[in-house]
Amino acid sequence: MPRKTTRAVLAVTLALLALLSATGCRPSATAGAPAATVRPLPVGRSSAGLTVDGISRSYRVYRPAALAGPAPLVVMLHGGFGSAEQAESSYGWDRQADAGHFLVVYPDGRDHAWNSGGGCCGVPGTRNTDDVAFVEAVVRTLGRQVPLDLRRIYATGISNGGMMAYRLACQSHLFAAVGVDSATQMADCPAPTPVSLLHIHGTADHNIPYAGGPGEGPAHIDGPAVPAVVAQWRATDRCAAPAVTTAARVTTSLSACPDGRAVELITIAGAGHQWPGSPNRPVLQRVLGLDTPSTALDATTVFWQFFAAHPAPAG
């Protein structure tokens, strides 16, 4: 289904759900969006759950006090062995949401992992958990609680969460742009629709090597080279040849694409498997298989600036 048509359908669906809630009616449950009593989303941090395909799932949400009007939404996907709570405390998205006046949601992967494709990762990968349906159900649920700007729904993630962000780009029609850190694309992606993309990666990442091939760590990710994945998205988006600039350790390859989209690759020389700009927490990083965060840039700020500049085309 074309992306514009899908957004129009989603807009009508959210409006109908709001009307049903106001009149005391409730839609019947479906696999992706079970019936539930809609409660206003509180300001600040909150948590909630829903059931998708018979599996109880959970997520955390941060709503800034200054949120007004149809709100942009960022879906932040934790890495393998991580959690929604860990992602919220580690990567600074709540603070960025306050500054940018957007909503941020942190879904919990099943058993601390995501079915990001190619058999990865963990229980979701081996049991083929439908994490695309779960994330879409979370977005729909939030849309019943808060008016969402359907042109400004974004997904980002680190490691296994970054691979899941790629899967959403390949298989969902909800997202205007995705931001990927320390990951590669594992999901089948035969006929993606255009989406803006920003990928950040360190050249010394041994878990998910920049040049592709088998990585270290418990998941033993064996995926394609990052530049090849980004080149595929340039082709999907029909982008111009990239403009390449280098400043100190950071090399940026930026391609302008039709309809205001962009595909960008930021490479940090010598950086490992980490979220640039996040706090240095050696014990937690050892548990999650992450390296010391690079100080070359603040990934959260860079991702949000990219998202804010690249809504979905109007219409």
Side-chain angles (χ1 to χ4, degrees):
M1 181 181 294
R3 185 183 296 270
K4 293 180 181 178
T5 302
T6 303
R7 283 201 177 85
V9 171
L10 181 58
V12 172
T13 300
L14 294 177
L16 288 174
L17 287 169
L19 178 61
L20 289 168
S21 297
T23 58
C25 300
R26 292 288 181 267
S28 61
T30 66
T37 301
V38 178
R39 295 180 297 176
L41 187 67
V43 171
R45 295 179 175 179
S46 61
S47 58
L50 48 73
T51 300
V52 179
D53 289 340
I55 303 170
S56 296
R57 307 296 298 268
S58 61
Y59 58 94
R60 297 173 65 87
V61 188
Y62 182 73
R63 177 177 181 168
L67 198 69
L73 170 66
V74 173
V75 179
M76 171 66 211
L77 302 162
H78 64 77
F81 305 105
S83 68
E85 183 177 10
Q86 171 268 317
E88 186 171 23
S89 68
S90 296
Y91 305 127
W93 277 104
D94 289 0
R95 182 179 66 253
Q96 192 68 55
D98 283 330
H101 308 296
F102 62 89
L103 195 69
V104 56
V105 62
Y106 306 88
D108 261 313
R110 186 181 180 188
D111 290 335
H112 304 282
W114 301 102
N115 179 14
S116 54
C120 183
C121 289
V123 169
T126 57
R127 298 186 183 179
N128 199 28
T129 302
D130 193 344
D131 279 324
V132 173
F134 167 50
V135 173
E136 290 184 333
V138 169
V139 173
R140 285 196 295 272
T141 300
L142 291 173
R144 297 170 64 192
Q145 298 176 289
V146 178
L148 296 180
D149 186 339
L150 302 184
R151 295 181 56 216
R152 300 176 187 272
I153 299 177
Y154 310 103
T156 185
I158 178 174
S159 192
N160 184 206
M163 291 186 283
M164 187 64 211
Y166 266 128
R167 185 161 204 171
L168 292 171
C170 289
Q171 299 178 7
S172 176
H173 299 280
L174 298 184
F175 299 94
V178 296
V180 175
D181 174 64
S182 301
T184 189
Q185 184 173 296
M186 301 293 287
D188 292 334
C189 202
T193 52
V195 62
S196 291
L197 166 70
L198 170 56
H199 188 128
I200 300 175
H201 214 103
T203 61
D205 189 333
H206 297 291
N207 289 40
I208 303 180
Y210 180 78
E216 300 173 2
H220 298 292
I221 304 299
D222 188 358
V226 170
V229 172
V230 174
Q232 290 174 357
W233 281 100
R234 284 200 300 266
T236 294
D237 286 2
R238 296 179 288 113
C239 304
V244 180
T245 58
T246 299
R249 293 172 289 161
V250 179
T251 297
T252 301
S253 176
L254 175 62
S255 298
C257 318
D259 298 321
R261 295 187 180 91
V263 172
E264 184 173 1
L265 171 62
I266 296 178
T267 304
I268 305 175
H273 194 68
Q274 41 74 55
W275 184 275
S278 60
N280 185 20
R281 297 171 175 170
V283 175
L284 182 61
Q285 288 155 200
R286 184 164 60 251
V287 170
L288 299 179
L290 303 177
D291 295 318
T292 301
S294 171
T295 59
L297 56 84
D298 183 332
T300 303
T301 299
V302 171
F303 279 133
W304 173 245
Q305 290 173 342
F306 182 85
F307 291 161
H310 296 97

